[in-house]
Amino acid sequence: MTKQEILQTAVRQSAIDLNCKEQDFMDSKNHIVLSSHNAEARKYLELPFSCNLVSYGNNIVASIQEEYRYPVEDYINRYSVEHCFETPNMHVLNDALQDKGLRICFMAEYFLPDPDRLKETCCPYELRVLRQEDFKDLYTAQWSNALCEKRKTLDVLGIGAYDKGHLIGLAGCSADCGSMWQIGVDVLPEYRRQGIAAAVTGRLAMEIMARDKVPFYCAAWSNIKSVRNAVKSGFYPAWVEMTAKSRKFVDELNKTKKV
């Protein structure tokens, strides 16, 4: 696949997820669409959205429920695209949605592979291809970014880094939809800063593409280590998302203690 074909696959999936047209992301004007269930959407999404904003850099497509149309439409048409996804402007939308029982919850940047930059990087440790049956004993806290215990059936492929037979780094991918598999990665603390994360991430991305799927990678803007790994592994920033959830949902997340 070329870089453009990979991007088009992502845009097509976003259109499915948001219940809009692919062209909506390429326009200069913003779009408001009504969210709905779709069996082909990414499996981890909770549809329909109350409010989800997506931008590939040209504009904003907002997938919403009708009751939130006015505050969302007013917001995305009042500020520039890039400022809608950050403070202080973001507070305007959050304040408006709070009156309706919602709060801004998830904010993330998504990365796609650049075939011209994707390559195997040097790693001082043995790398192994892992399959679903190899994950059964790995659903522990130390591998919780690479694998998801709640959706074990979607964890289909991985690359493990081993030091004398001991697993020290793991990149795993989740078959989140028909065309795209999401990569997550973990490295044991004592083995970090040795290029292991980039080695397993890049190798896994190539294994995914060899299976005619598009790998993608998600990171919070503030997670510098994760963003650096994406770039080093041959990925580039492709789109951003911001999602509002119920006040109760956000409050429950805020009760979660650091692990």
Side-chain angles (χ1 to χ4, degrees), residues 150-162:
K150 292 181 179 179
R151 294 185 294 273
K152 290 182 179 180
T153 58
L154 300 181
D155 291 333
V156 293
L157 190 66
I159 298 293
Y162 289 82

Side-chain angles (χ1 to χ4, degrees), residues 83-185:
H83 290 158
C84 282
F85 291 85
E86 64 178 11
T87 57
N89 296 157
M90 186 186 70
H91 292 302
V92 173
L93 179 60
N94 189 66
D95 290 348
L97 293 178
Q98 277 199 134
D99 293 339
K100 297 178 177 293
L102 299 181
R103 300 182 74 181
I104 301 299
C105 185
F106 298 126
M107 301 167 62
E109 188 171 24
Y110 289 81
F111 299 77
L112 291 173
D114 180 347
D116 294 331
R117 294 183 57 248
L118 200 63
K119 62 182 185 300
E120 287 198 49
T121 58
C122 294
C123 177
Y125 302 100
E126 175 193 3
L127 299 185
R128 300 179 192 172
V129 177
L130 305 178
R131 294 173 175 80
Q132 196 169 57
E133 58 269 24
D134 300 311
F135 299 146
K136 61 180 181 178
D137 296 323
L138 300 179
Y139 288 96
T140 61
Q142 61 190 178
W143 310 119
S144 59
N145 289 312
L147 302 172
C148 180
E149 188 169 15
K150 292 181 179 179
R151 294 185 294 273
K152 290 182 179 180
T153 58
L154 300 181
D155 291 333
V156 293
L157 190 66
I159 298 293
Y162 289 82
D163 182 9
K164 299 176 182 178
H166 176 58
L167 183 64
I168 59 171
L170 175 64
C173 68
S174 174
D176 289 335
C177 56
S179 60
M180 301 179 70
W181 292 0
Q182 181 171 193
I183 293 177
V185 61

Side-chain angles (χ1 to χ4, degrees), residues 3-4 8-9 17 42 51 67 86 89 91 93 100 104 110 124 126 147 160 171 178 181 194 216 218 221 227 239:
K3 185 176 181 180
Q4 183 59 36
Q8 193 56 48
T9 298
D17 298 340
R42 283 174 284 165
C51 172
E67 62 189 292
E86 64 178 11
N89 296 157
H91 292 302
L93 179 60
K100 297 178 177 293
I104 301 299
Y110 289 81
E126 175 193 3
L147 302 172
W181 292 0
Q194 299 184 53
F216 71 104
C218 175
W221 289 291
V227 171
W239 81 95

Side-chain angles (χ1 to χ4, degrees), residues 54-67:
V54 174
S55 177
Y56 278 81
N58 302 294
N59 65 351
I60 296 175
V61 177
S63 187
I64 63 165
Q65 293 303 293
E66 182 62 41
E67 62 189 292

